[in-house]
Amino acid sequence: MSGPRSETLRRTLGLAPAHRFQSFAPTVARVLGGVVMAVHGIDKLSDGPAGFAAFLGGMGVPAPTLTGWAVAIGETFGGLLLVVGLLSRWTALLLTAHLCVAGALVNVDTGFMTPQQGSASGAGLEFPLMMGAAFLVVLLAGPGPLALDRALGIEAVPTPPPRKPSSPAVSPSAVRASLISGAIGGLIGAGMSALANYLVVGVPAGAGANAANHAVSGLISGFLAGFLGLLTHQRRHARTPLTEKDGTGLPEPLPGRAGG
């Protein structure tokens, strides 16, 4: 069985205090995503949709003037609707479709990263991907508690699921914990390698291979560290039960011992 120390470790690594605020996660994605989208729409309206239409025409987008007006108005009012949380799911669905079309027609030609210099212009594919992820959170999880959809009854307040009887604690699998820690180590190794390449030498031709080497090293070291650490933890806190409980919940002597 898991002892008090393993329970404390699990709660610490899982940031258990943050779990009580998980219902506000869609609110954060909705409000921030709505603000960003509304600012983009207002910027297009303030500069005049004609300029944006000329940009779309240069990219080969059909009906650039009509499309420019539709995009500017849709981003502005769609973002504002998300900020206040009105018709949130439908707005998130339409804006996700809009970002998919924009990514396929415009952003894919710019590249994944937004160019910092040179003749290329426009946002990279990273922007519609991240914004689309935020809107999918709203579409799938709802607008969150702080929304007009809740106040007007468009979104019902979710009822908590019935609590199931707690099952006896089971010791974690050493292999599973090692695989998880190894995967985390591989991701950290790859991320640190990519960050070091970008900050020190830019993005050289061998950056991918270097990141892969660091990922494999992190995977192996994370697996070994997790495996050895969990085995040590289980050995230190393993306890042999002296009594067993029958169906009534009262302790029974183990076989071979006389009852009291």
Side-chain angles (χ1 to χ4, degrees), residues 109-139:
D109 294 331
T110 309
F112 184 81
M113 299 292 291
T114 300
Q116 302 296 321
Q117 57 186 359
S119 58
S121 61
L125 195 59
E126 56 179 338
F127 175 76
L129 285 178
M130 292 304 300
M131 295 299 297
F135 296 149
L136 284 177
V137 170
V138 179
L139 174 63

Side-chain angles (χ1 to χ4, degrees), residues 189-256:
M192 294 298 294
S193 173
L195 181 61
N197 278 316
Y198 180 76
L199 294 178
V200 178
V201 293
V203 184
N210 195 8
N213 291 333
H214 281 265
V216 173
S217 301
L219 181 67
I220 296 173
S221 60
F223 180 87
L224 293 176
F227 186 77
L228 295 176
L230 189 56
L231 282 183
T232 303
H233 174 79
Q234 289 180 337
R235 181 170 298 180
R236 285 183 178 178
H237 301 285
R239 296 177 180 177
T240 304
L242 298 179
T243 60
E244 295 178 351
K245 292 185 178 180
D246 58 9
T248 63
L250 298 177
E252 273 187 350
L254 289 175

Side-chain angles (χ1 to χ4, degrees), residues 19 22 35 51 60 67 96 123 133-134 136 151 155 162 178-179 183 193 197 199 213 234:
H19 295 177
Q22 61 184 351
V35 168
T67 304
T96 302
L136 284 177
E155 283 280 341
S178 302
L179 289 175
S193 173
N197 278 316
L199 294 178
N213 291 333
Q234 289 180 337

Side-chain angles (χ1 to χ4, degrees), residues 32-53:
L32 293 182
V35 168
V36 172
M37 191 56 63
V39 169
H40 274 259
I42 293 173
D43 181 65
K44 293 180 178 65
L45 289 176
S46 62
D47 291 341
F52 182 60

Side-chain angles (χ1 to χ4, degrees), residues 72-179:
I73 295 175
E75 289 182 353
T76 301
F77 287 98
L80 294 177
L81 286 176
L82 283 181
V83 170
V84 299
L86 181 61
L87 302 176
S88 304
R89 291 185 191 261
W90 278 105
T91 304
L93 175 62
L94 294 176
L95 287 178
T96 302
H98 157 65
L99 289 171
C100 290
V101 174
L105 294 179
V106 178
N107 303 103
V108 71
D109 294 331
T110 309
F112 184 81
M113 299 292 291
T114 300
Q116 302 296 321
Q117 57 186 359
S119 58
S121 61
L125 195 59
E126 56 179 338
F127 175 76
L129 285 178
M130 292 304 300
M131 295 299 297
F135 296 149
L136 284 177
V137 170
V138 179
L139 174 63
L140 299 176
L146 303 178
L148 285 181
D149 286 335
R150 288 280 184 90
L152 298 177
I154 298 175
E155 283 280 341
V157 179
T159 56
R163 299 187 62 180
K164 297 181 180 180
S166 58
S167 57
V170 180
S171 298
S173 167
V175 176
R176 183 176 62 181
S178 302
L179 289 175

